[in-house]
Amino acid sequence: MAISGVTDYTNAYAADRANGSSGLSGEAQDYLRGLKEKYPDANVTVTDFKNGKQEDNYMFGCSGGNNVAISANIIEKMAKDPTTAAKYEKVIADAPKAAEEIKEGLAAHGAEMVAGGTVIDKDGKVSYWCIGKHEPPKDSPTVSYKKQMQEQLEEKRAKKKEEEAL
């Protein structure tokens, strides 16, 4: 079952990429092509999130840990300024390492990484995100507590039935 927002965002993104209508200048598009060739392990996406929902949809539509979303104006600056390019290319180059660290951190707590990545927003701020899943072990306190509550509820129901029968 597809999640509506994710599918809509993903389809719109795919259509934009297919049409080449990302809004980047020719110089920035050339730079982006070179960037993707230089860092084949990173899934580089040019996007400007208008709100948190769009950002969430992007994240939930990703898989793996090497996702890098970069604002269009940052790509434009990278294409024109070698200093800016070097600064953000280091972030892109470190994306696989960051993903591995996040994955290991989650595993240490019994969780598994579903997706993760890096966002470079329009102001140049770099942030990292991940989506993980965690299955508590059968003997964990939360599972035991839930089982205990179910047993107490069943006892109350049985007692109530006895009282009603009398």
Side-chain angles (χ1 to χ4, degrees):
M1 181 168 136
I3 300 172
S4 171
V6 173
T7 305
D8 295 345
Y9 181 79
T10 305
N11 291 343
Y13 168 72
D16 281 350
R17 282 195 67 184
N19 296 331
S21 61
S22 61
L24 294 175
S25 68
E27 181 183 6
Q29 286 181 10
D30 290 342
Y31 176 78
L32 179 61
R33 271 191 290 283
L35 197 62
K36 289 180 178 188
E37 289 174 12
K38 188 174 181 179
Y39 302 101
D41 291 341
N43 180 20
V44 178
T45 304
V46 177
T47 186
D48 291 301
F49 302 116
K50 293 178 179 48
N51 55 46
K53 185 176 179 182
Q54 272 189 346
E55 193 169 3
D56 289 347
N57 288 341
Y58 164 77
M59 291 174 189
F60 285 115
C62 289
S63 63
N66 300 337
N67 302 293
V68 181
I70 307 175
S71 178
N73 72 313
I74 298 297
I75 289 290
E76 293 285 351
K77 287 179 185 177
M78 290 171 74
K80 293 178 175 122
D81 180 19
T83 305
T84 302
K87 174 183 174 181
Y88 293 116
E89 282 190 35
K90 179 165 179 12
V91 172
I92 296 166
D94 290 344
K97 181 182 174 196
E100 194 57 39
E101 288 175 5
I102 291 169
K103 193 175 190 177
E104 288 172 5
L106 287 170
H109 294 286
E112 175 186 348
M113 185 169 83
V114 175
T118 307
V119 174
I120 303 172
D121 72 10
K122 64 182 172 37
D123 299 322
K125 183 180 133 201
V126 177
S127 56
Y128 300 91
W129 61 273
C130 80
I131 300 170
K133 67 179 182 177
H134 181 268
E135 294 290 330
K138 299 291 182 202
D139 61 343
S140 80
T142 55
V143 172
S144 299
Y145 180 74
K146 183 179 177 183
K147 185 177 178 182
Q148 189 178 33
M149 292 301 291
Q150 287 174 334
E151 289 171 357
Q152 287 177 0
L153 183 60
E154 288 173 16
E155 286 174 17
K156 284 182 181 180
R157 286 182 182 156
K159 190 175 182 179
K160 187 174 182 179
K161 282 186 179 182
E162 287 176 19
E163 288 174 359
E164 288 176 358
L166 293 175

